[in-house]
Amino acid sequence: MQGHKAGRTKMTSLGSHYKILLLGVMVFTLGMLSHGTYAESLEGNKPAITYGDSNLVSKPELLPQEQLALAFFHAARTGDVDTIQVFINNKVNINFQNGEGYSALMVAAFRGQKQVVDMLLAANADPCLVDTRGNTALMASIVSGEIGIARTLWQLKCNNPHLKQRTEEFVEQFGQQDFKALLKEK
């Protein structure tokens, strides 16, 4: 009876671990989807735009830097390579993270915008940035099923054992066989 109870506790804690991981991924995914253009007001008292429609901004008006952030994230989300190139040419901080910690690279990876991902990486975007939940652009590509983008990001190793372990957990939880094979590539 004692052994049965100990085994159950171990199983429950393992189940809890995966429940927490699943909850984190769900929150990550919902955050990515619900933030539309993935930008928030830089000031806490100004709400963000709603559902990705850059014409529907809340009052008071956004500051110029907030408008730039919205345009930058919108371009990453929609694959607007011309606008991304303008930002790169004008030396904008391509590693800028919004209030949720999302970077343009994360947004483009999640939305399957391979050309934008490649452009940002060529301009030295940091693939190891984490959002407020500890997720990277690679994890975003895994959640959204973007194997081509995941393959590109996997080759850019982050020297962080925690991120490597977390990525492996994401693959186990969400990845198809292609993603599992990706982990074996060195």
Side-chain angles (χ1 to χ4, degrees), residues 98-170:
N98 68 7
E100 295 292 320
Y102 303 142
S103 68
L105 183 62
M106 291 175 192
V107 172
F110 182 77
R111 289 301 198 138
Q113 302 297 343
K114 177 91 168 92
Q115 192 173 1
V116 172
V117 168
D118 292 341
M119 290 172 70
L120 291 169
L121 289 172
N124 295 318
D126 185 352
C128 300
L129 291 176
V130 295
D131 66 13
T132 57
R133 295 176 190 92
N135 302 313
T136 64
L138 174 57
M139 293 172 199
S141 68
I142 292 168
V143 168
S144 62
E146 297 293 337
I147 187 69
I149 293 172
R151 184 167 280 114
T152 297
L153 294 169
W154 180 251
Q155 293 171 0
L156 307 170
K157 304 284 186 201
C158 296
N159 292 326
N160 182 327
H162 172 72
L163 289 181
K164 184 179 186 303
Q165 177 184 352
R166 191 159 159 80
T167 300
E168 290 170 358
E169 290 170 354
F170 264 63

Side-chain angles (χ1 to χ4, degrees), residues 2-62:
Q2 186 74 354
H4 175 69
K5 200 174 205 181
R8 185 172 184 187
T9 303
K10 186 175 183 180
M11 215 167 154
T12 304
S13 67
L14 181 62
S16 297
H17 174 72
Y18 282 107
K19 285 179 187 176
I20 291 169
L21 177 64
L22 179 60
L23 179 63
V25 170
M26 288 172 49
V27 169
F28 171 77
T29 303
L30 290 174
M32 293 292 270
L33 294 174
S34 67
H35 279 80
T37 59
Y38 312 99
E40 291 185 344
S41 170
L42 298 176
E43 296 178 18
N45 62 347
K46 293 183 183 177
I49 66 168
T50 58
Y51 298 103
D53 187 346
S54 58
N55 295 321
L56 298 176
V57 292
S58 302
K59 298 294 178 192
E61 292 297 319
L62 297 174

